[in-house]
Amino acid sequence: MGDRSPRDTAARRLLALMIGAPLALALLPLGYGLAVLGELPDPMAVHFRASGAADGFGSPLPFILLSAAVTASMALVGGLLARSSIAAGAGSRITVGVFVFGAGVVAGIAVAGMGAQRGLADAAGARLTGAATAAVIAAAVALGALAAAATPRLPGAPAPAAREPLGLPEHSASVWFGSARMRPVGWWALVAVSVLAPGLPAIWLYREGEPVATWVLGATALLGAVVMGALRAVQVRIDASGVHWRCVPLPLPRGELPWSQITAVEAVQLAPGDFGGWGWRLSGAGTAILLRGGEGLRIRRTTGMPLHISVDDAATGAALAEHLRKHS
């Protein structure tokens, strides 16, 4: 216990928070639902339109158990997020706050829906008012803010060890190739969010005869498929002319920087939380092609923000880059 590093301690606190918050929130619909079970109509309203009118009905006890189970299941997502590099870096508090806010909305809407029909003989007359919905959102915002404030900032991982001078001649024709791939679990998770999330509702809406919404969601799913296809892996080449990169299997995005536009190339540890997630990112820290957390290159430019690229064996690439830059 005494040998635990500050990073390990912070990581354990973060994991406990991301798992514990949804489990604790799951007790709200479970406890409240069981307490008022005898006052709920059967069937009860289990879904409401945007206007607040009830449009879906079911048995009370399964609804109570399902609401609690859905909220509690978010603990699994929270655990995965806490163990991933998205929860590290400057964006960790935002990640936790948004996550707890979402869990709070799920639990709160279930409680508000049950409260709206206590004592009713017929659930068809139940209404989920705008005021009740606003109260749930306000409470979820407050919970998210508290969770963000309690989020420990994970200390950054040490930068990759610097390589010894390569001992190359001044005008070297050496070339370095590097690459990085997005981890399969993370890639498939992003595919689910960007492709399946809009694609499955598009299929359902097509069957329901809603052409406009079908086209909008279908185009969104197609765009997500193109983006995820482009961001499966990245390849980097460093040679006498500069730094070149491209994403694969699709050829875009791609680019190059000549040595005249570069002031330094460094091997660094990259955290998706510093850039708001994975992919091709623009943030206050610069531009990033970020396929995973861990080692990568930071390319400082003569103008504009730095460019960051995930790549394996970044220390070797940076060492050669600095040699070529100084003798270009």
Side-chain angles (χ1 to χ4, degrees):
M1 294 289 290
D3 295 334
R4 186 179 297 168
S5 68
R7 181 177 177 81
D8 289 339
T9 301
R12 287 174 181 270
R13 287 178 55 198
L14 178 64
L15 183 63
L17 181 60
M18 294 287 274
I19 293 177
L23 292 179
L25 288 168
L27 297 176
L28 292 177
L30 180 63
Y32 180 79
L34 293 177
V36 301
L37 181 59
E39 304 177 51
L40 297 175
D42 189 1
M44 64 172 287
V46 298
H47 189 270
F48 297 85
R49 297 193 186 99
S51 63
D55 65 349
F57 303 89
S59 298
L61 185 58
F63 173 76
I64 293 168
L65 297 177
L66 181 61
S67 299
V70 169
T71 308
S73 69
M74 295 181 71
L76 176 60
V77 178
L80 293 174
L81 285 173
R83 298 301 296 270
S84 74
S85 50
I86 189 65
S92 58
R93 291 188 171 183
I94 296 176
T95 301
V96 173
V98 171
F99 175 75
V100 173
F101 165 79
V105 168
V106 172
I109 289 295
V111 170
M114 288 185 280
Q117 46 197 315
R118 287 180 61 183
L120 294 180
D122 185 356
R127 292 187 62 84
L128 183 62
T129 65
T133 303
V136 168
I137 293 175
V141 168
L143 285 174
L146 289 173
T151 301
R153 174 69 183 273
L154 266 64
R163 290 293 303 266
E164 295 293 329
L166 299 178
L168 297 173
E170 181 174 331
H171 298 290
S172 173
S174 298
V175 180
W176 178 83
F177 294 92
S179 64
R181 298 180 66 85
M182 187 174 289
R183 295 185 177 93
V185 172
W187 190 77
W188 282 110
L190 291 176
V191 167
V193 172
S194 58
V195 180
L196 298 182
L200 294 178
I203 296 173
W204 181 78
L205 289 169
Y206 174 77
R207 294 170 60 89
E208 293 293 315
E210 298 285 348
V212 176
T214 299
W215 278 107
V216 171
L217 290 177
T220 302
L222 179 60
L223 178 62
V226 171
V227 170
M228 293 313 303
L231 294 175
R232 185 70 180 91
V234 63
Q235 296 176 340
V236 181
R237 186 179 85 249
I238 296 175
D239 57 27
S241 64
V243 181
H244 317 259
W245 69 92
R246 71 185 186 103
C247 289
V248 292
L250 299 182
L252 295 174
R254 63 187 301 162
E256 60 182 50
L257 283 172
W259 295 120
S260 61
Q261 298 179 17
I262 298 175
T263 61
V265 179
E266 306 159 301
V268 296
Q269 284 287 332
L270 300 175
D274 288 333
F275 299 91
W278 298 275
W280 189 8
R281 315 298 298 186
L282 301 174
S283 75
T287 305
I289 300 175
L290 200 59
L291 303 189
R292 49 145 179 77
E295 62 179 321
L297 294 174
R298 177 166 58 207
I299 304 168
R300 297 188 182 274
R301 296 183 273 193
T302 53
T303 58
M305 299 292 288
L307 171 67
H308 304 79
I309 306 177
S310 296
V311 67
D312 297 331
D313 194 21
T316 301
L320 178 62
E322 282 298 281
H323 175 85
L324 296 174
R325 182 185 66 82
K326 292 175 180 176
H327 297 95
S328 62

